[in-house]
Every structure is written in C-alpha cells, then in structure tokens.
Amino acid sequence: MSPTLYDRSSGSNQGTCHELRNPEPTTIIPISLPKAAHVRVVVYNVVGQQVATLANREFQAGTYQIRFNADQLASGVYFIRARLGEKLFTTRVTLIK
C-alpha cells in the first residue's frame, strides 16, 4: 500500500495533497490550493531531524508540483510534512535504494 498524506487539522479546506508513492530517487508531490496560502513542505528522518525543505513560500491558488529529490538521502524511513495554509499533512515514506 502506498503512503498517503493525511489531514491532521480541523481547520477549513485550505487545500489537498495527493497520494505520494515511494520516491526513486526523484518524485513529484502534487498539491492543490483553492486560494492563496503559505506552503511549507519539509522532510524529516526517523529520529526527527529535518533533512530537506522542499517548499517554504506563499503560493497563489492553483495546482503545483513540488519536486522531492532523495538522491542524497540514505535508504530508510522518512516523514514528509506539508503545511498548506492551516492544513497539515504528514506521510511516511520508505526509501529503498
């Protein structure tokens, strides 16, 4: 089963993140925003250390593709946390090289 980005907030519908498949070594994280919002997408390793920031800026309403290049990361478990405005999504990704 592929990992999914889960909604961890109770706020209004600020946007969505689509299913994310295991990166090999580069994958795209599609996001959709119904209105402008600050988007922050960060990758953490299994001990909670931040290993990458994929996005951290204001986006206009629309659909975007955030690139995740895992080429420099070791095989293992990672967590991708995406904050789209007030909504928070987290997914677990297992990287196998």
Side-chain angles (χ1 to χ4, degrees), residues 27-41:
T27 195
I28 300 296
I29 302 168
I31 61 171
S32 178
L33 299 169
K35 61 182 182 179
H38 187 86
V39 173
R40 179 169 165 83
V41 182

Side-chain angles (χ1 to χ4, degrees), residues 1-48:
M1 176 181 252
S2 298
T4 304
L5 291 168
Y6 296 98
D7 178 7
R8 298 283 189 207
S9 72
S10 58
S12 64
N13 185 11
Q14 280 291 114
T16 59
C17 279
H18 303 284
E19 184 175 313
L20 175 65
R21 301 198 184 277
N22 186 35
E24 50 160 274
T26 300
T27 195
I28 300 296
I29 302 168
I31 61 171
S32 178
L33 299 169
K35 61 182 182 179
H38 187 86
V39 173
R40 179 169 165 83
V41 182
V42 180
V43 181
Y44 296 93
N45 64 18
V46 74
V47 296

Side-chain angles (χ1 to χ4, degrees), residues 2-6 20 46 77-80 90-94:
S2 298
T4 304
L5 291 168
Y6 296 98
L20 175 65
V46 74
V77 175
Y78 295 89
F79 295 90
I80 299 175
T90 304
T91 190
R92 188 183 103 192
V93 175
T94 302

